[in-house]
Amino acid sequence: MLSHTERTQIRKAAHKAVQEPQALYDIIDESLMAHVAICDAHGPVVIPMLAWRVDEYVYIHGANNSRLIRHLKQAEQSCLTFTLFDGWVLARSAFHHSAHYRSALVFGPFETVEDNAEKDRVLNHFVEQIAPGRTQDVRLGNDKELTATSVLRMPLTEASVKISNGPVHDDRADLAVPAWAGFIPYRTVVGPLKAAADLHESVPTPDYSAAYGSRWVK
Amino acid sequence: MLSHTERTQIRKAAHKAVQEPQALYDIIDESLMAHVAICDAHGPVVIPMLAWRVDEYVYIHGANNSRLIRHLKQAEQSCLTFTLFDGWVLARSAFHHSAHYRSALVFGPFETVEDNAEKDRVLNHFVEQIAPGRTQDVRLGNDKELTATSVLRMPLTEASVKISNGPVHDDRADLAVPAWAGFIPYRTVVGPLKAAADLHESVPTPDYSAAYGSRWVK
């Protein structure tokens, strides 16, 4: 079960709260992109970052000298938010229009991954997640690159998941309004592969579709 | 031109910074979803919110008694971040793997829209944006609903836009690595319409595809 803390308590539409860890993992694994915030004297700054899961940690990375990375290393607490937008819900009243989505907020301090071999392991896990088999083909990280790269991780112990996927909700009186009601679904499609301009024609085209299931388009 | 302040100065990969306001408008108009942060004693909390543009303001809404809305009303400064993920960039080295994306950060205080007629106008603008013509069909907001709904707006004067859409970048020495290199594009497809379970079969199906251009699927 995902841990209950004050920050993870969902107040609005609590029936949309989801407790199974697998729901959290699925959202992170599908999204691979999160938003993080820096809170400073000027106010908040919200920044998108690639983020991926290995077992029960979520990882981010960046250059050692990145202002964002330096801030997150020393911040006592951080928040990583993953959101997948699934479409519009069109009700018979303007007021009850809403959206379908899946969101996950993960809280905690970031820990720095110090060891280059461990950084390499988790970074390669990310490459494999988006392009299965690719770490066999590319030139992997060397010491200089790994030393220059900061990899931070957050455990998945304090998180909240909210999923909105329910029926259209209309007030009873509005059921008589003769408007169409229903959903406009949003779906992400991935592919097909597009070769780099300088790719030699002798290089065979790989198949990474296994990472994307039904989202893959040829 | 988007205004230059310390917060909007893009330091990393400054060549990806974009100055034209239309780029900002396009990202907001396509995304319609942003992340906002609350900074409190426990640390930051990053929350997804629907957000839409009317002329040169971006709007959000929520229930008056929502903790998030109450916080944003009194916060001196806020940040709304819109991000569109466009795919993976696969280089011949692990180190140079990256992503294509379009992102926009808008900064400022939120102003509360007090007048119910104005709230109605901008909320209906949002309905029209996702379903053109629909405000002619649905029951629009009544006084009770509008009074219970907070609508906040932020001017689009302090913003920064960063777009990553360039070629695969490899170190010269890695050009000899015989790995495939290129892109895995991500695309959002919208539709087709899915009727609510309780929709009477006599209700004709509308056509909202004009809002989605090439993203619409029948």
Side-chain angles (χ1 to χ4, degrees):
Chain A
M1 297 281 283
L2 299 172
S3 87
H4 283 277
T5 58
E6 194 191 325
R7 292 191 291 193
T8 59
Q9 192 65 29
I10 288 171
R11 293 168 180 76
K12 274 283 163 197
H15 60 280
K16 295 178 182 168
V18 172
Q19 299 302 338
E20 298 81 29
Q22 191 61 46
L24 171 65
Y25 303 158
D26 290 346
I27 290 169
I28 296 171
D29 295 348
E30 182 176 333
S31 176
L32 296 177
M33 204 251 303
H35 285 81
V36 69
I38 292 177
C39 298
D40 70 19
H42 297 294
V45 183
V46 179
I47 296 167
M49 294 201 82
L50 302 179
W52 70 101
R53 182 180 70 90
V54 183
D55 300 325
E56 286 170 49
Y57 286 90
V58 59
Y59 292 83
I60 61 171
H61 77 308
N64 291 341
N65 63 357
S66 137
R67 174 179 167 249
L68 172 60
I69 289 289
R70 285 185 282 117
H71 177 96
L72 295 176
K73 275 180 176 173
Q74 56 79 47
E76 279 186 37
Q77 288 292 326
S78 291
C79 174
L80 267 176
T81 296
F82 298 81
T83 306
L84 294 162
F85 186 80
D86 294 324
W88 302 112
V89 181
L90 307 185
R92 295 164 182 86
S93 70
F95 184 72
H96 284 301
H97 279 55
S98 67
H100 277 167
Y101 60 88
R102 290 161 283 156
S103 72
L105 279 62
V106 187
F107 297 97
F110 277 107
E111 306 159 6
T112 301
V113 178
E114 304 283 4
D115 176 59
N116 274 2
E118 176 64 2
K119 288 185 203 177
D120 195 48
R121 183 184 79 89
V122 301
L123 288 163
N124 291 341
H125 190 283
F126 191 12
V127 173
E128 284 293 311
Q129 195 171 345
I130 64 173
R134 189 163 178 79
T135 56
Q136 301 301 308
D137 298 336
V138 299
R139 188 211 22 103
L140 299 179
N142 59 37
D143 267 345
K144 182 177 166 199
E145 292 166 337
L146 292 168
T147 298
T149 303
S150 290
V151 177
L152 308 185
R153 72 177 192 178
M154 187 185 286
L156 293 176
T157 45
E158 188 185 353
S160 78
V161 174
K162 192 168 173 181
I163 293 177
S164 171
N165 59 5
V168 177
H169 169 73
D170 266 301
D171 296 338
R172 196 180 199 84
D174 291 326
L175 293 174
V177 172
W180 187 88
F183 311 93
I184 302 180
Y186 274 46
R187 207 161 59 85
T188 296
V189 295
V190 185
L193 293 182
K194 182 167 178 288
D198 59 359
L199 187 68
H200 200 272
E201 59 189 13
S202 65
V203 178
T205 306
D207 178 7
Y208 298 137
S209 60
Y212 302 98
S214 60
R215 294 187 291 160
W216 188 258
V217 292
K218 293 194 183 67
Chain B
M1 298 281 285
L2 300 174
S3 87
H4 282 276
T5 59
E6 194 192 323
R7 291 191 293 192
T8 58
Q9 192 64 29
I10 289 171
R11 295 169 181 76
K12 275 285 165 194
H15 60 280
K16 295 177 182 170
V18 172
Q19 300 300 340
E20 299 82 30
Q22 191 61 45
L24 170 64
Y25 302 160
D26 290 346
I27 290 169
I28 296 172
D29 294 349
E30 182 176 334
S31 176
L32 296 177
M33 203 250 304
H35 284 81
V36 69
I38 293 178
C39 299
D40 71 20
H42 298 292
V45 182
V46 179
I47 296 167
M49 293 201 82
L50 301 179
W52 70 102
R53 182 180 70 90
V54 182
D55 300 323
E56 286 170 49
Y57 286 91
V58 59
Y59 291 83
I60 61 172
H61 76 309
N64 291 341
N65 63 0
S66 136
R67 173 177 167 249
L68 172 60
I69 289 289
R70 284 185 284 117
H71 177 96
L72 294 176
K73 275 180 178 172
Q74 56 78 47
E76 280 185 35
Q77 289 291 326
S78 291
C79 175
L80 267 176
T81 296
F82 298 82
T83 306
L84 294 161
F85 186 78
D86 294 324
W88 302 112
V89 181
L90 307 185
R92 297 165 181 84
S93 70
F95 183 72
H96 284 301
H97 279 56
S98 66
H100 278 167
Y101 59 89
R102 290 161 283 157
S103 71
L105 279 61
V106 186
F107 297 98
F110 277 108
E111 306 160 7
T112 302
V113 177
E114 303 283 6
D115 175 59
N116 274 2
E118 177 64 3
K119 289 185 202 177
D120 195 47
R121 182 184 80 89
V122 301
L123 289 164
N124 290 342
H125 190 283
F126 191 12
V127 174
E128 284 294 311
Q129 194 172 345
I130 65 173
R134 189 162 179 80
T135 55
Q136 301 301 309
D137 298 337
V138 298
R139 186 206 30 99
L140 298 178
N142 58 36
D143 266 348
K144 181 178 167 198
E145 291 165 338
L146 292 167
T147 298
T149 303
S150 289
V151 176
L152 307 185
R153 72 177 193 179
M154 186 186 287
L156 294 177
T157 45
E158 190 185 354
S160 78
V161 174
K162 191 167 172 183
I163 292 177
S164 172
N165 59 3
V168 176
H169 169 74
D170 266 302
D171 296 339
R172 195 176 198 89
D174 292 325
L175 293 173
V177 172
W180 187 88
F183 311 92
I184 301 181
Y186 274 45
R187 209 162 57 86
T188 297
V189 295
V190 185
L193 294 182
K194 183 168 178 285
D198 60 359
L199 186 67
H200 199 272
E201 60 187 14
S202 64
V203 179
T205 306
D207 178 7
Y208 298 137
S209 60
Y212 302 98
S214 61
R215 294 187 291 161
W216 188 259
V217 292
K218 294 194 183 64

